[in-house]
C-alpha cells in the first residue's frame, strides 16, 4: 500500500498535542542524568502549558536552526525541514517495501 499523508498528518498533530507532557518528561529524565542534548522547557509560574511549549519551541528552533519562528520567512525553513522529514519517512517506507525509490534523494537538514 501507499502512505496516507492525511493520516500521518493527523498522527503528528495528535503527538503535537502532547508536546508539553513529553518536554516535561524529558526535563525530569535529564535531571536524573538520562536526558538528550535538548533544551528543557521553561518553568512557568502560571502553569500555562501552551505558553511554555511555545517558549520551548522558540528556544529549540533558535538553537538547532538559528531561526526565530515568529518571523514568517525564518519559520518557512522549519516548515521545509518538517516536509523533508515526512518525505524521508515515505522514502524509508518505500525502501523497505518496494526497493530503493531514489538514489539521489537526501534529507537536506
Amino acid at each position: 500500500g501507499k502512505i496516507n499523508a492525511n493520516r500521518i498528518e493527523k498522527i503528528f498533530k495528535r503527538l503535537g498535542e502532547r508536546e508539553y507532557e513529553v518536554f516535561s518528561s524529558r526535563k525530569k529524565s535529564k535531571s536524573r542524568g538520562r536526558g538528550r542534548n535538548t533544551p528543557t522547557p521553561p518553568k512557568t509560574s502560571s502553569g500555562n502549558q501552551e505558553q511554555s511549549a511555545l517558549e520551548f519551541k522558540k528556544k529549540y528552533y533558535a538553537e538547532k536552526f538559528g531561526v526565530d519562528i515568529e518571523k514568517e520567512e525564518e519559520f518557512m525553513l522549519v516548515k521545509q525541514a518538517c516536509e523533508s522529514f515526512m518525505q524521508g519517512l515515505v522514502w524509508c517506507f518505500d525502501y523497505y517495501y518496494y526497493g530503493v525509490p531514489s538514489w539521489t534523494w537526501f534529507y537536506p537538514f
Side-chain angles (χ1 to χ4, degrees):
K2 287 287 183 186
I3 290 180
N4 182 330
N6 290 331
R7 174 82 52 160
I8 297 295
E9 183 178 348
K10 287 179 183 178
I11 290 169
F12 276 94
K13 282 183 179 181
R14 301 271 318 258
L15 289 172
E17 292 169 2
R18 295 191 57 227
E19 277 182 322
Y20 186 80
E21 182 182 328
V22 171
F23 296 150
S24 295
S25 174
R26 282 189 185 171
K27 183 177 182 181
K28 288 175 187 171
S29 292
K30 194 171 188 176
S31 69
R32 290 181 290 219
R34 297 184 307 192
R36 299 179 186 159
N37 186 15
T38 304
T40 57
K43 295 179 184 176
T44 58
S45 57
S46 65
N48 185 342
Q49 294 179 352
E50 193 172 306
Q51 183 64 28
S52 181
L54 177 60
E55 291 300 318
F56 175 83
K57 286 179 185 181
K58 286 184 200 177
K59 184 177 178 182
Y60 179 86
Y61 288 115
E63 287 183 16
K64 303 295 183 183
F65 286 86
V67 298
D68 178 355
I69 62 170
E70 291 186 332
K71 295 180 179 174
E72 182 67 28
E73 65 277 0
E74 292 185 21
F75 180 73
M76 292 307 293
L77 177 70
V78 174
K79 187 174 179 178
Q80 290 171 348
C82 292
E83 289 173 358
S84 293
F85 179 80
M86 294 302 296
Q87 290 172 355
L89 290 177
V90 171
W91 190 97
C92 289
F93 177 84
D94 286 347
Y95 173 82
Y96 284 103
Y97 285 92
Y98 306 112
V100 178
S102 168
W103 285 106
T104 59
W105 188 89
F106 64 95
Y107 181 67
F109 295 91

